[in-house]
Amino acid sequence: MRCWSLICGCLLLLGCERGAKSKQTAESKEATVAVAQARAAAQKQDEATDSCAKAIEAVLQQPALAGDANFEAVREELLARAKARPVFFLRAPQQSTHTPLAGPYWKAFEQVKDSVVSFATAYPFLSGRPEVARQIFLREGYLFADTVQLAIGLANAVHLEDLFNDKHLFIHRGGEVLEAELHSEAGSPVYRYTNGEEEGQKATLLLLDRVSADRATLAEPLHRDFSMVQATLGFDRLEVEYLTAAAVVAHLHYGTAVVRTLLKHEGEGRLGLQCEILAASDAQQVQAVRSRNVQRSQVMVQLHKTILTQIAESLPFDEPKTEFGQEDGKLRQEWNWAYRFGRSSFEYNDDKYRVFDPQGRPRVPQVCIDFITDTLERSSGTWYRPRGEPRERVIGRLDLNGFGIENRRNIESFIAFAGEHPQWFTVHNLPAVQRVPFRQRAAFIDSLKQHRSDFQPGDIVVILGLRDDDKEHYHSFFVYDVDPVTQMPIWLASNAGRPRVRVWENELMSAPKRSIKTVIRPRLDWLASVLLPENTQ
């Protein structure tokens, strides 16, 4: 028996030794495979880097285009004060040769173009003279300016109907070509979009748009649009190193990492990635920033759709036609009562208001913070049913009524709520040194430039200051978009009279004593979970 135990023990020990050796062999093979894969990946990366370096060098051997230094020198202020789709110019568009008919108007325009007030006074004299107006205001088809005052004048005064009377127009805006058709409405000409995300809405003319009645003339744009490639690559901002008609060599910033990148022109001003030189030490950071920014772009697509829907509905600001004192915010509770009890209208201070618009859409009054909360909820699927359906508020993936906010229609209460829920929001109250009133234009723009990285699309900005009644008033709005070149926040979305997307100049000019008080940032993971359906599965 003792021998048998000894034999069994030896066999067991031998088996264990063999098992251990087998395990070591397997682990060794796995380690060898991992090392081989790492070497292969490194070699592949080295080959990609060498290939990209050669491709960039080939571009650098081609004649460079100058860009537009005058425009770039005022880029941040101009885009903050005049609404434009931000683009980068290969060269400055040239002024048209003036016919004898346009000559006198051009001389008058030259004298006033650096004064917004004078510009607005002189502009109506061109009414009914579209051929002359095009010669004066369009440069190679672009509504272009490289001085801030002229940019503001053009952006706020010039309309498509002043420049054209053709049945169909093509509007080259950034990397897309929008189409518009002329209609007669109430005896006046109106262009409406026939494609794009605003199809059916009144067509507008933005600064830096290029417009023509013949699409073929838009074939060789003088601009490049970085917005679309930014949505794909997820960089924060960029610096152009070298520019040709076919390619752009640029330094793309991902946090603190900077990646030398070759972008190729894909037509109509759009750019795509050809290659990039990515250092191994930067790979992890670039991937993290890229993933975050791409997801933010996806979230913003959803928010933009909802904002544009509210603009199309022209939801009224919650201010009674007849007021006794300050009665902002009173109409919504009356609307809710009328909607819930099946009414088609309601009265307040002897004035009548509709529950639905002519298309049967709920005509819900909003104060500025309502626009913020409505946008978040509607993007998740929460909203009122239209006329003809049961009178109820459908609940989607987000319903702020169930979050215990003391008063969701009060900005201070919303700030407090956001601060009490750090898992959903970050709240940044600006220090006094950054509280620059908008009336100090140069200092305000300079502060924005210095702290541009503190603003991202989807941020909720709260401003506070004196209005014309010498009382302090809050106002809130979304950051709608930023300039992909400089990271400067440029487009804002709010309801201040009606839902609109505007620039800082237009958003703050009615109360220039106000300054930025607080920036509330919905956390991206939370926002994606309530706005993107695929994130709920």
Side-chain angles (χ1 to χ4, degrees):
M1 179 67 71
R2 188 175 299 171
C3 285
W4 178 247
S5 298
L6 183 60
I7 291 171
C8 288
C10 290
L11 290 174
L12 181 62
L13 180 60
L14 182 61
C16 290
E17 288 177 350
R18 285 178 176 174
K21 288 180 179 180
S22 177
K23 183 179 180 181
Q24 290 174 357
T25 300
E27 291 176 349
S28 177
K29 286 181 178 179
E30 289 178 0
T32 301
V33 170
V35 170
Q37 290 175 338
R39 286 176 178 171
Q43 182 178 355
K44 186 176 181 180
Q45 180 61 44
D46 289 343
E47 290 172 354
T49 297
D50 291 342
S51 176
C52 192
K54 291 176 181 177
I56 289 175
E57 185 59 33
V59 171
L60 299 181
Q61 299 307 309
Q62 300 171 17
L65 296 173
D68 186 353
N70 291 336
F71 178 84
E72 292 304 314
V74 295
R75 183 184 187 93
E76 291 99 327
E77 182 179 1
L78 187 149
L79 293 176
R81 301 185 64 188
K83 192 176 181 183
R85 178 69 58 86
V87 296
F88 196 93
F89 282 94
L90 306 180
R91 63 170 174 81
Q94 300 302 303
Q95 185 66 52
S96 303
T97 301
H98 302 122
T99 64
L101 182 61
Y105 293 100
W106 173 251
K107 289 180 181 178
F109 175 63
E110 278 282 271
Q111 295 173 358
V112 303
K113 69 178 186 178
D114 287 330
S115 167
V116 174
V117 175
S118 298
F119 178 91
T121 302
Y123 178 74
F125 287 104
L126 289 168
S127 177
R129 301 178 176 89
E131 298 85 356
V132 175
R134 287 200 299 273
Q135 291 181 48
I136 293 175
F137 297 125
L138 299 185
R139 300 189 187 184
E140 299 187 64
Y142 287 94
L143 186 69
F144 177 83
D146 55 11
T147 65
V148 173
Q149 291 301 313
L150 176 58
I152 295 172
L154 291 175
N156 291 329
V158 182
H159 304 282
L160 287 169
E161 294 80 6
D162 302 322
L163 303 176
F164 295 91
N165 52 19
D166 301 84
K167 181 63 175 176
H168 299 281
L169 287 184
F170 300 91
I171 306 164
H172 197 172
R173 179 173 298 160
E176 62 180 339
V177 177
L178 301 170
E179 300 178 21
E181 187 176 79
L182 185 63
H183 298 263
S184 178
E185 299 179 9
S188 298
V190 174
Y191 280 102
R192 292 193 176 275
Y193 294 115
T194 58
N195 70 337
E197 59 185 5
E198 295 182 79
E199 182 176 353
Q201 299 304 305
K202 186 180 185 300
T204 55
L205 181 63
L206 305 187
L207 192 73
L208 311 184
D209 282 355
R210 192 183 192 191
V211 191
S212 177
D214 180 5
R215 181 163 185 161
T217 63
L218 305 178
E220 299 294 336
L222 301 179
H223 71 273
R224 296 293 180 262
D225 175 35
F226 291 106
S227 299
M228 292 181 176
V229 73
Q230 183 185 43
T232 301
L233 296 182
F235 57 87
D236 294 324
R237 61 185 177 89
L238 64 85
E239 296 155 354
V240 173
E241 176 188 340
Y242 203 82
L243 189 64
T244 72
V248 179
V249 180
H251 297 270
L252 275 52
H253 290 248
Y254 299 84
T256 58
V258 182
V259 181
R260 198 181 191 201
T261 305
L262 179 59
L263 302 172
K264 57 184 177 181
H265 182 224
E266 297 182 335
E268 297 185 339
R270 294 187 297 273
L271 294 166
L273 175 66
Q274 181 167 333
C275 64
E276 58 186 0
I277 299 177
L278 179 58
S281 57
D282 291 333
Q284 187 173 356
Q285 181 179 177
V286 168
Q287 181 55 42
V289 174
R290 180 170 286 170
S291 176
R292 181 194 69 211
N293 286 345
V294 167
Q295 186 178 45
R296 178 174 288 108
S297 294
Q298 294 169 346
V299 165
M300 290 310 299
V301 167
Q302 191 72 8
L303 286 177
H304 286 176
K305 286 180 181 177
T306 303
I307 289 169
L308 292 175
T309 296
Q310 292 175 95
I311 291 173
E313 294 171 348
S314 194
L315 294 180
F317 189 77
D318 192 341
E319 181 179 25
K321 299 172 186 176
T322 303
E323 276 189 289
F324 299 99
Q326 175 56 257
E327 293 191 284
D328 288 6
K330 299 293 186 180
L331 296 180
R332 190 163 178 135
Q333 58 194 34
E334 299 294 329
W335 181 92
N336 267 308
W337 181 89
Y339 177 84
R340 187 156 47 100
F341 287 97
R343 304 296 179 86
S344 60
S345 65
F346 63 94
E347 291 188 5
Y348 190 81
N349 289 343
D350 295 326
D351 294 312
K352 194 171 184 178
Y353 301 87
R354 293 176 297 169
V355 173
F356 300 99
D357 70 8
Q359 287 75 42
R361 301 171 298 195
R363 195 169 183 268
V364 189
Q366 295 177 324
V367 292
C368 62
I369 191 62
D370 290 332
F371 178 82
I372 300 296
T373 55
D374 286 351
T375 299
L376 293 172
E377 289 179 330
R378 290 189 72 171
S379 297
S380 81
T382 299
W383 196 237
Y384 301 90
R385 290 188 183 276
R387 184 174 56 206
E389 297 186 13
R391 300 289 183 99
E392 66 174 333
R393 181 171 173 266
V394 177
I395 305 301
R397 294 177 296 278
L398 175 65
D399 178 15
L400 292 171
N401 287 346
F403 281 31
I405 306 175
E406 182 178 349
N407 180 359
R408 60 173 283 171
R409 306 193 69 205
N410 176 274
I411 291 180
E412 289 179 303
S413 293
F414 189 83
I415 294 173
F417 163 75
E420 292 164 1
H421 295 84
Q423 73 275 30
W424 298 328
F425 303 94
T426 62
V427 178
H428 173 53
N429 293 303
L430 273 64
V433 69
Q434 285 182 239
R435 296 275 318 269
V436 182
F438 183 66
R439 64 180 175 178
Q440 299 176 19
R441 295 289 202 281
F444 181 88
I445 298 298
D446 188 58
S447 181
L448 269 185
K449 289 165 63 175
Q450 290 182 38
H451 303 282
R452 67 190 73 189
S453 60
D454 292 342
F455 299 89
Q456 294 179 352
D459 284 355
I460 301 163
V461 179
V462 176
I463 60 175
L464 175 66
L466 297 176
R467 292 201 65 178
D468 49 12
D469 60 1
D470 289 327
K471 295 181 180 179
E472 287 201 323
H473 292 267
Y474 282 100
H475 180 51
S476 58
F477 47 83
F478 282 111
V479 174
Y480 188 92
D481 208 357
V482 301
D483 174 24
V485 175
T486 64
Q487 207 176 350
M488 183 83 164
I490 53 172
W491 285 14
L492 316 169
S494 73
N495 187 334
R498 58 184 173 84
R500 281 174 287 190
V501 175
R502 304 192 288 183
V503 292
W504 292 93
E505 179 78 18
N506 300 99
E507 191 68 38
L508 278 71
M509 68 185 302
S510 63
K513 295 180 182 180
R514 291 194 285 199
S515 61
I516 300 173
K517 177 184 181 294
T518 303
V519 179
I520 303 171
R521 177 169 300 166
R523 290 195 179 275
L524 186 57
D525 54 351
W526 173 75
L527 203 55
S529 72
V530 296
L531 300 192
L532 302 179
E534 60 270 21
N535 284 28
T536 63
Q537 297 176 358

